[in-house]
Amino acid sequence: ILPVELPIEVVRQIAAAVEESQGHTEVTVDLEGQKVSLPGGQAFAFRAPKLLREMLLKGVDEIDLTLSRADEIERFRSADRAKRPWSYLPAQT
């Protein structure tokens, strides 16, 4: 769930539209375009943190994101192990 922060005036305008339609107005949240829209064409921009937005658009969580970077992590570890071998435990056999 992505909380969308909008100015109170905009929230009141959206709420008024929903109340006026007796709950039949469809409010659309476009995560890719970062806007909240009403059927009449009114659109209200919002900003979402880039990483959170990308994760939601890709349907991944923090663990999936970390696992998708396994190659980068291993390259870092290998380079770091070469620079600071004393900070790694010896391989267990």
Side-chain angles (χ1 to χ4, degrees):
I1 295 176
L2 175 68
V4 173
E5 187 175 330
L6 297 168
I8 190 65
E9 300 82 26
V10 171
V11 173
R12 286 183 180 134
Q13 186 176 349
I14 293 169
V18 172
E19 286 176 7
E20 187 177 300
S21 71
Q22 297 179 344
H24 296 288
T25 292
E26 187 172 306
V27 178
T28 304
V29 178
D30 175 2
L31 181 57
E32 194 165 7
Q34 296 187 90
K35 64 183 176 180
V36 176
S37 303
L38 292 172
Q42 300 112 319
F44 312 98
F46 68 88
R47 295 185 64 178
K50 183 179 178 181
L51 184 59
L52 179 59
R53 182 174 165 264
E54 288 177 15
M55 287 176 15
L56 287 168
L57 288 170
K58 292 178 181 177
V60 299
D61 63 11
E62 290 88 347
I63 295 170
D64 293 322
L65 182 63
T66 301
L67 292 174
S68 74
R69 295 180 174 170
D71 292 340
E72 289 176 60
I73 293 168
E74 190 50 45
R75 282 193 301 273
F76 170 83
R77 283 181 166 167
S78 294
D80 190 56
R81 189 176 288 116
K83 290 179 191 174
R84 304 178 318 132
W86 63 89
S87 66
Y88 291 84
L89 294 174
Q92 300 292 319
T93 55

